[in-house]
Amino acid sequence: FLMLFIYSKCFSQNNFQKGYIISNNNDTVSGLIKYGSNFENTYKCSFQVNPDSPAVTYSPGEIIAYRFDDGKFFISKKLNPSDTSDIFLEFLFDGIVDLYHYSDKKGVHYLISTTNNTLQELKNDTRTSIINGVKYETESKDYIGVLKTVFIESPSLMKKTESVPLTYNSLLKLAEEYHREVCPDEESINYARKRFKTRITPGLIAGYSFSDLLLR
């Protein structure tokens, strides 16, 4: 039990990575941010100024954004104008179209917005129907219609969306291609390209065990 406690505490401490937060006053504060799961990153940001300081947990709306150094970038936004609260969206791509991502109990969600800053969710719901007693499941592929509307200035990309899957890499590729085609002279930023390298930290774990064998 003691070894598990020590290991758990060490792992928790090592899970804080260098980064910064942007306060609601637009001040940038550098420090350490807990690198949690996609679900955790959506709803909170645990921040330390230094390893010896206590962690402060910020909810969406309490800060503008937070980012890991050369890594994931999260901004506080409302999914709909009528929403009363924000969530932290992972900012994937900043260009003529913007791409976002978040995770909740229902799964993974992708959002896209254009210059009017209105978020549109890219959905691919599963629809169930029963025909002659047989159950069929089909994908709605609603996201294709949204992408066609967003990429309306590129006929070639509009055509390409008809066969593109709703995945992380395919959406980023489309957004980059569209930006190069429509706004070749303007800079874009692919935040998703910058990821943490896998780090293996060697350590020593000692334990004590015994067995009591009773011979009969």
Side-chain angles (χ1 to χ4, degrees), residues 52 90 95 212:
D52 298 322
E90 184 184 353
D212 186 8

Side-chain angles (χ1 to χ4, degrees), residues 2-66:
L2 178 61
M3 294 310 302
L4 286 174
F5 173 78
I6 294 173
Y7 176 78
S8 176
K9 187 170 182 63
C10 290
F11 178 79
S12 176
Q13 291 173 341
N14 289 335
N15 216 25
F16 277 80
Q17 307 288 345
K18 290 182 179 180
Y20 60 86
I21 62 172
I22 302 175
S23 72
N24 286 337
N25 295 324
N26 275 315
D27 295 324
T28 300
V29 184
S30 297
L32 301 168
I33 302 172
K34 185 178 180 181
Y35 194 84
S37 66
N38 288 333
F39 180 81
E40 290 176 317
N41 292 336
T42 299
Y43 296 102
K44 62 182 180 180
C45 167
S46 296
F47 176 77
Q48 292 177 300
V49 175
N50 58 65
D52 298 322
S53 64
V56 178
T57 299
Y58 294 99
S59 298
E62 293 183 330
I63 56 176
I64 293 175
Y66 70 93

Side-chain angles (χ1 to χ4, degrees), residues 87-155:
I87 65 171
F88 285 124
L89 298 178
E90 184 184 353
F91 203 171
L92 301 178
F93 184 80
D94 182 7
I96 189 172
V97 296
D98 298 336
L99 276 178
Y100 304 92
H101 159 273
Y102 76 96
S103 296
D104 63 9
K105 293 180 180 179
K106 295 180 180 179
V108 177
H109 304 266
Y110 296 101
L111 303 156
I112 194 167
S113 71
T114 53
T115 51
N116 62 11
N117 210 29
T118 300
L119 293 172
Q120 299 182 78
E121 184 172 356
L122 301 173
K123 296 182 178 181
N124 189 21
D125 299 325
T126 300
R127 295 171 179 169
T128 303
S129 59
I130 299 177
I131 302 175
N132 296 328
V134 180
K135 182 179 178 181
Y136 295 92
E137 290 186 346
T138 57
E139 295 180 334
S140 66
K141 296 192 175 181
D142 295 332
Y143 69 94
I144 293 177
V146 176
L147 290 177
K148 282 187 174 183
T149 302
V150 171
F151 298 143
I152 194 169
E153 294 186 44
S154 172

